[in-house]
Each structure stands twice: as structure tokens, then as C-alpha cells.
Amino acid sequence: MKHINKAIIAATAYMAFSSVAFSSNALAAQVKPAMSAKHAKAATQYRQSIFQLVKSNMGPLGGMAKGALPFDESVMQTNAVRLEQLATMMGDYLSVDTREYNVDTGAKDAIWENFSDVETKIAALKTASQGLQSAVEAGDKSAYRNAIGKIGASCKSCHDDYKKD
């Protein structure tokens, strides 16, 4: 009976640890090579499209943080939600390694060589976007500039390490 209980406990522990490991890996995007030149071109276009959308949402926020535009809570809230959503998609679009094919990309090779760091930076963008949403929801005008600055800093950290000049 003792052997059966030990076997059940061991099997249960194994399944619990296996499911935790699987669930954490399932959430993380895995780097995968482009399957063809056509796939590499499409992946690059999608990646660049995501960044154009980030840029279009950061522009007004940057203007507000610099004092060139008045703080507009509606724009801040909308753009922060959009940036959070874009951050949620980034890992999927950045994980396709296009180095094998001749595509016009601004990505450094390091993006696929250190993808766990890229994912950390994406998570920082998502967290910073949520922080701006919280500041707006609280009506904390004193926090707006700092919250926008954190979004900008998360973008800059990735550009510094993974974007070609």
C-alpha cells in the first residue's frame, strides 16, 4: 500500500510539474525560421506593420509628454489600450527568424539570438501601457508624463538592442 501511495504521489507531482512547464512554454513564443522567401517577406511586412501602429499610437503620447500637446485623457486611454494589444501580438510577429532570406529588415540578428530578452522587453511595454491606463482611470494627472515616459523607455530599450541604425 505504501508503494502504491508513493507511486501516486510521484505521478501526481510529475504531472503537476509537467503541466506548469508546458503552460509557461506555451505562453512564450518560440523562435522559428521562416519556411520560405515568401514567408520571410510576409513576416517582415507584418513585423513592420506592428511597429508602424506602435509609432502612430506613440506619436501623440510623446507630444503630450513633451508638452507640445495638451494631455487628452481619451487619446491616452485609447492609445494605451492599443499599445497593450500590439504588445500582446509582438512576440508572434517577431519570432519568425528571417535571416536566411534576403528581406529588407531593420532587425538585428540579436533579436532571434536572445529572444527571451525581447519577450521581457515586450512585457515591459505591456506593463507600461497598463500603467498609463491606470493613471488615466484614476485621473492622476501628476502621473501622466511619467507613465508615458515608461512606455517610451520600453520602446527605446528594444530599439537600442535590436534595431539597426
Side-chain angles (χ1 to χ4, degrees):
M1 189 68 152
K2 284 185 177 182
H3 294 301
I4 293 174
N5 286 340
K6 286 181 182 180
I8 290 171
I9 291 170
T12 303
Y14 174 78
M15 289 187 305
F17 286 118
S18 296
S19 67
V20 168
F22 174 76
S23 66
S24 65
N25 287 337
L27 297 176
Q30 300 297 314
V31 173
K32 52 201 168 289
M35 297 179 287
S36 65
K38 184 177 180 179
H39 182 220
K41 183 178 179 182
T44 300
Q45 289 173 335
Y46 299 148
R47 196 166 54 230
Q48 291 171 346
S49 296
I50 287 275
F51 291 131
Q52 283 299 315
L53 290 169
V54 169
K55 181 179 178 181
S56 73
N57 284 279
M58 272 305 299
L61 296 178
M64 289 178 212
K66 293 175 185 172
L69 297 172
F71 285 122
D72 182 328
E73 287 85 355
S74 175
V75 170
M76 287 188 294
Q77 184 68 17
T78 297
N79 290 17
V81 168
R82 289 176 181 165
L83 289 167
E84 179 186 0
Q85 292 166 339
L86 290 166
T88 301
M89 294 185 277
M90 274 183 192
D92 293 334
Y93 291 103
L94 292 172
S95 66
V96 178
D97 183 347
T98 57
R99 291 180 287 183
E100 185 179 332
Y101 300 95
N102 185 21
V103 292
D104 184 20
T105 179
K108 291 180 181 177
D109 290 351
I111 197 168
W112 300 290
E113 295 164 357
N114 195 9
F115 201 70
S116 63
D117 183 55
V118 172
E119 290 181 308
T120 299
K121 292 174 187 291
I122 292 169
L125 172 58
K126 188 171 182 176
T127 299
S129 299
Q130 293 166 339
L132 179 57
Q133 292 173 56
S134 296
V136 172
E137 288 167 7
D140 186 358
K141 294 180 182 181
S142 66
Y144 293 169
R145 188 174 322 280
N146 186 44
I148 293 170
K150 287 181 180 179
I151 294 172
S154 70
C155 291
K156 184 180 181 329
S157 74
C158 204
H159 284 218
D160 288 348
D161 294 339
Y162 302 110
K163 186 174 187 279
K164 293 177 185 174
D165 294 327

